Amino acid sequence: MTHTIQPNNPEATPAPDATDIPAAPSATAPDAGGASSAVPAALKRRIPKYSDLAPLMQFKKPGFSKEARLKRASTIWELRDMAKRRTPQAPFDYTDGAAEEEITLRRARQAFLDIEFRPGILRNVSAIDLSTEILGKPSRLPVGIAPTGFTRMMQSEGEYAGSQAAEAAGIPYTLSTMGTASIEDVAAAAPNGRNWFQLYLWTDRDRSLELIERAARAGNDTLMVTVDTAVAGARLRDVRNGMTIPPALTVKTVLDASYRPAWWFNFLTHEPLTFASLSRYTGTVADLINSMFDPTLTFEDLDWLRETWKGKLVVKGIQTLEDARRVVDHGADGVVLSNHGGRQLDRAPIPFHLLPEVKQAFTTDNTNAAIMLDTGIMSGADIVAALALGADFTLIGRAYLYGLMAGGRAGVDRALQILEKDMARTMALLGVSKLSELTPDHVRLLNK
């Protein structure tokens, strides 16, 4: 039965009531106009009792363990602060920096800030499902770990920490050609993980073929070829730091190490850096990169790769709609919209801005090629925004490396936990419970 409650009318004259009898006098206090008003008991001064204070006097025991320290990080930016305190300048800057004036990196991050979410209300979001499918297989989260070079230089656990954290999280891990662990060792470290391999095609095609065959034998189901590296970008932080492989023990680095003894202890007491693609190298980062990149790479080489590799083929480094369409025509199963984290061409196109255009074109072309995106992602909200605008999947590089430098494997786990929590909260506040419910209507681009 429905009950109607009538609102009070302050101007109405109350009807006489048998209970309208003057009340007994109560404690009052004169107000500014001389009238009396009651003082609520809660506002009367009193001496506090110990029983009142005891619940408030709960002093938290300080935690100094790695786990306690990492737990205090609530954002990827806070992990970055921890990483900077614990890592020597040269390897930290190698991770944190970008090309030339670093305009591209700043714009990529700003692009995610220059959006407006458009939430729906009164939806059942009691259970949030972040699972998805990418390149024919499931992923528990819509994010994977991107290929990163020299990873054990950032922190001694390197690729082993990244691959094992990805395995535990149920997401793909991509080993770089310039990674500091072999294809076989990473596969052994994360035998139940979904491992991908990133390839830089060399002028020596026999060496490239050897890597491809090793990746297949180790169980990698996806080959990701990077195509935005005709030459190395001008990474000026590395130039200023005199960055070398392995890091040189100069006067500057020794002084820098005095503030970060744990990093140097780990670095010097573990196996020297080795690479997925070569056993040893001594020299500058720029020289190594230029020795491995092939400026003669063309679409014919992509055709050769498509014929050679029997698994999924993804092309990373797509920065225009025309190239996105063209690599799909040459057999790519997916594209990664990426400007190499701003580390190659400064003032390059921003993947997040390119995303809606590529999504619309692929829909028009009726292609089922996967659209992935990296560069600039620093929160779960960034990932949700990319998915809403048409990305099938995202990849993180710096975001997980900050966690690695902050605390090894546990730091990578923490980075993924932060992103997962961000994504779940953002989706709930948008009024969606699964990724398929995200649409472009949930995001508006500002000041593009």
Side-chain angles (χ1 to χ4, degrees):
M1 181 176 182
T2 303
H3 297 278
T4 303
I5 301 176
Q6 297 292 340
N8 292 327
N9 184 350
E11 297 182 357
T13 302
D17 193 285
T19 59
D20 289 343
I21 303 173
S26 61
T28 59
D31 60 21
S36 297
S37 60
V39 178
L43 298 183
K44 293 180 180 179
R45 299 282 185 185
R46 65 184 181 85
I47 297 174
K49 300 176 182 179
Y50 175 77
S51 59
D52 296 330
L53 294 175
L56 306 177
M57 300 172 64
Q58 298 180 9
F59 298 103
K60 187 176 181 181
K61 183 179 178 181
F64 299 103
S65 67
K66 178 170 66 175
E67 291 73 17
R69 174 169 50 81
L70 291 170
K71 192 174 181 179
R72 288 194 290 270
S74 299
T75 67
I76 299 298
W77 287 105
E78 290 176 357
L79 285 178
R80 178 186 178 275
D81 292 340
M82 291 182 183
K84 188 172 185 179
R85 289 193 297 268
R86 301 180 65 83
T87 311
Q89 182 177 353
F92 177 82
D93 278 353
Y94 176 80
T95 300
D96 194 60
E100 301 180 42
E101 300 303 315
E102 304 187 358
I103 295 169
T104 299
L105 177 57
R106 289 196 299 274
R107 286 178 178 174
R109 286 176 171 164
Q110 189 63 42
F112 286 107
L113 300 179
D114 290 339
I115 66 167
E116 177 183 86
F117 280 123
R118 301 172 65 83
I121 61 171
L122 299 177
R123 273 75 164 180
N124 182 354
V125 291
S126 57
I128 302 297
D129 182 5
L130 294 172
S131 64
T132 189
E133 184 178 286
I134 184 65
L135 298 173
K137 292 187 178 182
S139 177
R140 197 179 68 84
L141 302 173
V143 59
I145 291 183
T148 58
F150 315 134
T151 313
R152 285 182 57 228
M153 182 176 62
M154 305 358 164
Q155 203 272 353
S156 57
E157 296 177 54
E159 287 86 0
Y160 303 105
S163 60
Q164 290 174 343
E167 178 186 51
I171 64 175
Y173 172 82
T174 314
L175 175 65
S176 171
T177 298
M178 300 174 71
T180 43
S182 72
I183 299 170
E184 295 77 11
D185 285 350
V186 168
N192 298 315
R194 187 179 183 189
N195 294 320
W196 298 353
F197 183 68
Q198 177 271 335
L199 178 71
Y200 288 116
L201 265 177
W202 295 340
T203 305
D204 185 346
R205 291 293 182 262
D206 289 338
R207 294 184 70 189
S208 297
L209 181 59
E210 179 188 353
L211 281 179
I212 294 170
E213 291 173 344
R214 286 173 57 193
R217 287 196 300 269
N220 290 258
D221 64 73
T222 296
L223 184 69
M224 183 182 295
V225 58
T226 298
V227 295
D228 58 358
T229 51
V231 296
R235 303 171 191 177
L236 300 184
R237 289 203 217 183
D238 295 345
V239 174
R240 295 173 187 130
N241 290 329
M243 183 68 170
T244 62
I245 301 293
L249 291 171
T250 64
V251 173
K252 180 180 178 181
T253 55
V254 169
L255 290 175
D256 191 33
S258 66
Y259 299 98
R260 303 165 178 90
W263 186 93
W264 279 104
F265 177 76
N266 285 331
F267 181 78
L268 296 173
T269 57
H270 285 86
E271 176 72 19
L273 297 185
T274 56
F275 295 85
S277 54
L278 57 148
S279 59
R280 290 287 189 277
Y281 181 84
T282 300
T284 67
V285 171
D287 288 343
L288 176 58
I289 291 173
N290 280 322
S291 72
M292 298 181 70
F293 293 170
D294 182 3
T296 70
L297 193 64
T298 68
F299 282 93
E300 292 180 359
D301 296 292
L302 192 59
D303 293 334
W304 174 79
L305 268 181
R306 181 66 283 177
E307 294 174 3
T308 305
W309 176 258
K310 304 309 178 185
K312 298 294 185 180
L313 179 63
V314 173
V315 179
K316 180 177 181 290
I318 299 299
Q319 299 174 70
T320 67
L321 172 60
E322 294 75 17
D323 283 343
R325 277 176 154 160
R326 194 170 179 188
V327 297
V328 171
D329 290 341
H330 282 261
D333 297 299
V335 298
V336 182
L337 307 183
S338 171
N339 55 39
H340 215 98
R343 298 164 68 81
Q344 285 296 102
L345 175 66
D346 210 6
R347 301 178 180 85
I350 304 305
F352 187 63
H353 289 164
L354 179 62
L355 174 60
E357 188 179 2
V358 172
K359 177 62 176 178
Q360 182 178 3
F362 277 21
T363 301
T364 301
D365 297 344
N366 198 27
T367 177
N368 59 359
I371 302 174
M372 291 178 265
L373 178 142
D374 71 10
T375 304
I377 293 172
M378 289 291 283
S379 73
D382 297 342
I383 294 171
V384 170
L387 298 171
L389 289 184
D392 297 301
F393 204 68
T394 60
L395 298 169
I396 53 168
R398 289 183 180 90
Y400 103 87
L401 289 176
Y402 292 140
L404 175 68
M405 291 185 285
R409 160 68 194 279
V412 182
D413 288 336
R414 183 59 182 157
L416 295 176
Q417 290 165 6
I418 289 171
L419 293 175
E420 181 175 1
K421 187 175 181 180
D422 285 352
M423 285 186 280
R425 181 180 59 250
T426 302
M427 286 181 59
L429 292 174
L430 284 175
V432 298
S433 60
K434 52 187 177 181
L435 300 180
S436 60
E437 295 175 355
L438 288 170
T439 73
D441 291 339
H442 288 108
V443 177
R444 186 163 72 93
L445 298 176
L446 306 175
N447 306 320
K448 180 179 175 182

